[in-house]
Amino acid sequence: MSSNCTHDCSSCKSDCASRDKKTSFIKPLHEGATVRKVIAVASGKGGVGKSLVTSLLAARANKLGYRTAILDADITGPSIPKSFGVSERATGEENAIFPVETKEGIQLMSMNCLLEHDEDPVVWRGALIAGAATQFWTDVVWDDVDIMFIDMPPGTGDVPLSVFQSIPISGIVVVTTPQDLVEMIVKKAVNMASMMNVPVLGLVENMSYFECPECKKKHEIFGESKVEGLAKKFGVPAFAKMPIDPNLSRLADSGNIVNADTEPLSSVFKSIEGAKLLEEL
Ligand code: ADP
């Protein structure tokens, strides 16, 4: 032990016997906030429908009577407020930011709730981006939330990693599309989750098929579905197949995502309902 040991291992590099090996980087919630469960929605890359799936899961939770929140950690591509038709800005006091609420009562915090104009780009480096996402956890007064969904930054790089390290997470839902590299992407996500000691609760294969409105035949536009086999292979307890549905993007674009059919996500949602509360982690 160093002679000037302060017993604060987070600010010390020496590897002595008394070092707390489990030093956690988890940040505390704002003192006025309550959040009972946190579900991270992650993807191997952008554009696969992660934000859409986050919105649908939150809409389902809200309809089932859970007090629901979304922390939009996709700082450079924030699309959550728009899909719920929310354009107002967050308000705050010196040490607190208040989330905005959808008309159904879902609490939201997103970079777009802080920018002057929706179209303003966020041209920041990784550390700032991760810092902003973490502040949505530490500085926002989340009001009595049963389930919070985090729309994670895409990928498995430093930004999602810092968010995973800073916020306590009950479980992860991984969103993919049915393409060749999907097994590798899922494996990366599952490995990252196990590094963090967090269970993967479900795999969502988005854009899994297109159902012809006339003949009702299902066409697998992006290739054969792999999600069931992957869920088995990696021991993930639930999976879902979401169709390519122009109605979904229309509802998201017009701010009416709460009216979408969330039934395809029912088994993944059941898995979320069974996930541990933060106090049990
Ligand atoms: P990500 O968060 O992974 O970057 P988004 O959720 O923003 O992706 O989706 C990208 C675009 O694709 C959005 O315009 C969204 O409305 C659309 N989209 C996503 N999933 C579907 C789907 N299953 N059917 C139709 N459009 C979809």
Side-chain angles (χ1 to χ4, degrees):
M1 194 190 304
S2 142
S3 55
N4 47 8
C5 176
T6 61
H7 300 282
D8 176 9
C9 302
S10 65
S11 60
C12 174
K13 298 257 181 310
S14 47
D15 192 22
C16 58
S18 65
R19 185 174 182 87
D20 174 8
K21 299 281 183 208
K22 285 202 226 113
T23 301
S24 166
F25 298 102
I26 297 281
K27 300 272 195 306
L29 259 183
H30 188 279
E31 58 184 14
T34 307
V35 178
R36 282 178 274 279
K37 188 179 280 190
V38 177
I39 305 297
V41 184
S43 66
K45 57 176 182 157
V48 298
K50 173 180 51 62
S51 303
L52 184 92
V53 169
T54 308
S55 302
L56 292 173
L57 289 171
R60 190 171 179 92
N62 174 258
K63 280 213 183 89
L64 290 172
Y66 291 103
R67 289 186 57 86
T68 307
I70 305 180
L71 188 162
D72 187 358
D74 195 348
I75 300 293
T76 54
S79 54
I80 297 288
K82 185 163 187 275
S83 65
F84 286 93
V86 168
S87 55
E88 66 195 275
R89 296 300 183 251
T91 54
E93 288 168 0
E94 199 179 341
N95 294 315
I97 309 173
F98 299 100
V100 298
E101 255 188 45
T102 69
K103 47 188 182 312
E104 303 75 26
I106 300 174
Q107 298 170 50
L108 304 180
M109 182 47 68
S110 168
M111 201 61 207
N112 264 15
C113 301
L114 300 175
L115 297 174
E116 198 172 338
H117 308 108
D118 278 352
E119 303 81 15
D120 290 345
V122 178
V123 278
W124 290 351
R125 293 185 198 279
L128 266 187
I129 295 175
T134 306
Q135 269 184 285
F136 290 171
W137 173 253
T138 55
D139 296 4
V140 173
V141 189
W142 299 103
D143 181 16
D144 195 22
V145 172
D146 294 319
I147 309 182
M148 169 185 282
F149 294 92
I150 303 190
D151 188 2
M152 291 292 288
T156 46
D158 64 326
V159 178
L161 186 67
S162 326
V163 177
F164 273 121
Q165 287 179 321
S166 310
I167 301 179
I169 291 176
S170 310
I172 303 177
V173 172
V174 178
V175 183
T176 64
T177 51
Q179 284 148 344
D180 269 356
L181 292 174
V182 73
E183 172 152 359
M184 189 189 72
I185 291 169
V186 170
K187 194 160 184 200
K188 274 189 205 284
V190 169
N191 285 343
M192 183 160 169
S194 84
M195 271 164 60
M196 301 285 124
N197 241 335
V198 178
V200 178
L201 302 169
L203 295 183
V204 178
E205 183 175 73
N206 189 28
M207 310 191 200
S208 182
Y209 60 89
F210 175 73
E211 187 178 298
C212 170
E214 266 134 48
C215 71
K216 302 290 170 203
K217 193 167 171 216
K218 290 181 178 173
H219 301 271
E220 294 185 315
I221 309 267
F222 291 120
E224 208 183 316
S225 173
K226 301 191 177 69
V227 67
E228 188 168 359
L230 287 176
K232 273 210 188 91
K233 181 166 179 177
F234 294 115
V236 177
F239 69 89
K241 296 181 188 185
M242 291 286 303
I244 299 174
D245 180 358
N247 190 42
L248 278 176
S249 42
R250 211 172 299 127
L251 288 170
D253 285 347
S254 62
N256 292 304
I257 200 64
V258 285
N259 298 330
D261 175 19
T262 63
E263 211 37 48
L265 294 170
S266 58
S267 65
V268 170
F269 194 81
K270 277 249 156 354
S271 179
I272 290 172
E273 284 180 307
K276 283 186 179 166
L277 300 174
L278 297 184
E279 65 184 27
E280 299 166 334
L281 293 180

